[in-house]
């Protein structure tokens, strides 16, 4: 799949994964994620307060940060995890941790995304950590997003996969109907997310997640964002608008870096 970005790109850097004339290398999706994650960690400097993302791609970045700390190539790092799972991973790697109460300004956050549109707007939260991710990544000076090229979409919701909304458990069906009706013209179907046991998935904050499945573009994203947040019972949604400063995409042809 070719990587295409908006003509508005301020700077794009393409990096080859293989030397010229070398045989083509077929990489798995996880290998592509790892390549993007390692490239993102190159932005990390000693003394930084880091937002540590959640999910399969961000896990590679956290592993790499822990490795560089052990090697002495990084020091005086403070991590702020975006989920309990990331917190456990970071602690196992010896990464010192804190929170936004103690460090309200974050130097750099690294995280994955479920979708990236041509303007670097994101869908995040299919792992269920959207609220904490948005809090931490909204407090950072630089937000580096790492994805493989399968996450590129023409518009948010364009993958046909879930656009998550975190809601309070109280009368969640009422809230889900409101969300579905809000995007009725886009063919929206709202479904409660369940865990592996068939029970409602519960976030680290004790809330539920209603996943929105869209058949069409929802139009002005800021208008949509405001409308979602005005619904009583909604805690936060998974659209991360105008937040990413750099997106690193690993694909078959190499790495593409897009800066805001």
């Amino acid at each position: 799949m070719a990587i295409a970005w908006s003509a508005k790109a301020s700077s794009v850097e393409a990096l080859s994964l293989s030397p010229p004339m070398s045989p083509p290398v077929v990489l798995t999706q996880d290998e592509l994620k790892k390549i993007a994650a390692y490239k993102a960690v190159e932005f990390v400097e000693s003394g930084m307060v880091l937002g540590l993302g959640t999910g399969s791609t961000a896990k590679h970045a956290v592993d790499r940060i822990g490795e560089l700390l052990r090697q002495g190539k990084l020091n005086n790092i403070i991590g702020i995890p975006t989920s309990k799972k990331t917190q456990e991973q970071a602690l196992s790697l010896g990464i010192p941790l804190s929170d936004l109460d103690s460090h309200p300004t974050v130097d750099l956050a690294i995280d994955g995304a479920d979708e990236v549109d041509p303007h670097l707007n994101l869908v995040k939260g299919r792992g269920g950590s959207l609220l904490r991710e948005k809090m931490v990544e909204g407090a950072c000076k630089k937000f580096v997003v790492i994805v493989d090229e399968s996450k590129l979409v023409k518009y948010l919701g364009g993958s046909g996969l879930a656009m998550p909304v975190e809601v309070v458990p109280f009368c969640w069906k009422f809230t889900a109907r409101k969300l579905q009706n809000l995007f009725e013209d886009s063919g929206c179907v709202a479904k409660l997310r369940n865990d592996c046991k068939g029970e409602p998935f519960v976030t680290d904050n004790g809330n539920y997640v209603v996943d929105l499945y869209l058949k069409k573009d929802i139009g002005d994203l800021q208008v949509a964002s405001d409308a979602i947040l005005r619904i009583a019972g909604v805690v936060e949604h998974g659209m991360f608008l105008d937040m990413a400063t750099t997106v690193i995409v690993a694909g078959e042809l190499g790495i593409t870096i897009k800066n805001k």
Side-chain angles (χ1 to χ4, degrees):
M1 183 174 102
I3 299 174
W5 290 106
S6 166
K8 293 183 178 180
S10 56
S11 65
V12 176
E13 176 186 356
L15 304 175
S16 174
L17 295 182
S18 305
M21 306 304 292
S22 63
V25 178
V26 179
L27 299 175
T28 66
Q29 188 178 36
D30 191 63
E31 287 170 334
L32 291 173
K33 290 177 179 180
K34 188 172 183 179
I35 290 167
Y38 276 44
K39 186 64 181 176
V41 174
E42 292 180 12
F43 288 89
V44 178
E45 299 176 3
S46 294
M48 279 186 166
V49 177
L50 297 176
L52 305 177
T54 297
S56 57
T57 310
K59 182 180 183 298
H60 289 304
V62 176
D63 283 341
R64 179 61 171 164
I65 291 166
E67 180 183 2
L68 294 174
L69 281 170
R70 287 195 305 274
Q71 293 173 353
K73 296 179 181 179
L74 285 176
N75 55 73
N76 298 322
I77 293 295
I78 296 175
I80 300 182
T82 55
S83 67
K84 292 179 180 178
K85 187 172 184 179
T86 299
Q87 180 179 359
E88 292 170 359
Q89 179 194 4
L91 287 173
S92 72
L93 295 169
I95 300 174
L97 299 180
S98 187
D99 56 34
L100 290 176
D101 290 336
S102 300
H103 295 86
T105 301
V106 180
D107 295 304
L108 170 69
I110 299 175
D111 205 353
D114 300 307
E115 292 184 357
V116 182
D117 79 4
H119 306 288
L120 305 195
N121 295 309
L122 317 172
V123 168
K124 290 176 50 56
R126 290 181 189 150
S129 302
L130 61 155
L131 176 59
R132 297 191 185 191
E133 288 172 339
K134 190 168 283 190
M135 290 176 70
V136 173
E137 289 150 12
C140 65
K141 297 176 183 177
K142 187 175 184 67
F143 178 24
V144 178
V145 178
I146 45 180
V147 294
D148 66 88
E149 62 183 354
S150 70
K151 303 301 191 295
L152 303 183
V153 295
K154 293 181 179 179
Y155 61 88
L156 295 194
S159 68
L161 301 176
M163 180 183 292
V165 181
E166 186 162 341
V167 304
V168 297
F170 177 75
C171 295
W172 68 264
K173 291 181 182 178
F174 173 83
T175 307
R177 281 196 297 270
K178 289 274 191 178
L179 288 165
Q180 182 166 300
N181 291 339
L182 185 63
F183 299 113
E184 184 177 10
D185 291 343
S186 297
C188 178
V189 175
K191 296 181 180 180
L192 181 70
R193 184 181 300 183
N194 291 323
D195 61 19
C196 59
K197 298 179 181 178
E199 298 295 324
F201 173 86
V202 179
T203 71
D204 287 347
N205 317 298
N207 296 315
Y208 289 173
V209 173
V210 171
D211 287 322
L212 306 183
Y213 296 89
L214 303 163
K215 294 182 179 179
K216 299 178 183 177
D217 192 339
I218 59 176
D220 189 311
L221 297 178
Q222 195 58 60
V223 171
S225 169
D226 293 344
I228 292 172
L229 294 174
R230 282 198 298 269
I231 295 176
V234 168
V235 179
E236 189 52 83
H237 60 71
M239 291 188 293
F240 285 51
L241 308 180
D242 297 319
M243 291 179 62
T245 55
T246 298
V247 174
I248 300 175
V249 185
E252 295 175 358
L253 302 179
I255 287 180
T256 300
I257 300 177
K258 165 72 187 300
N259 295 305
K260 194 73 172 182

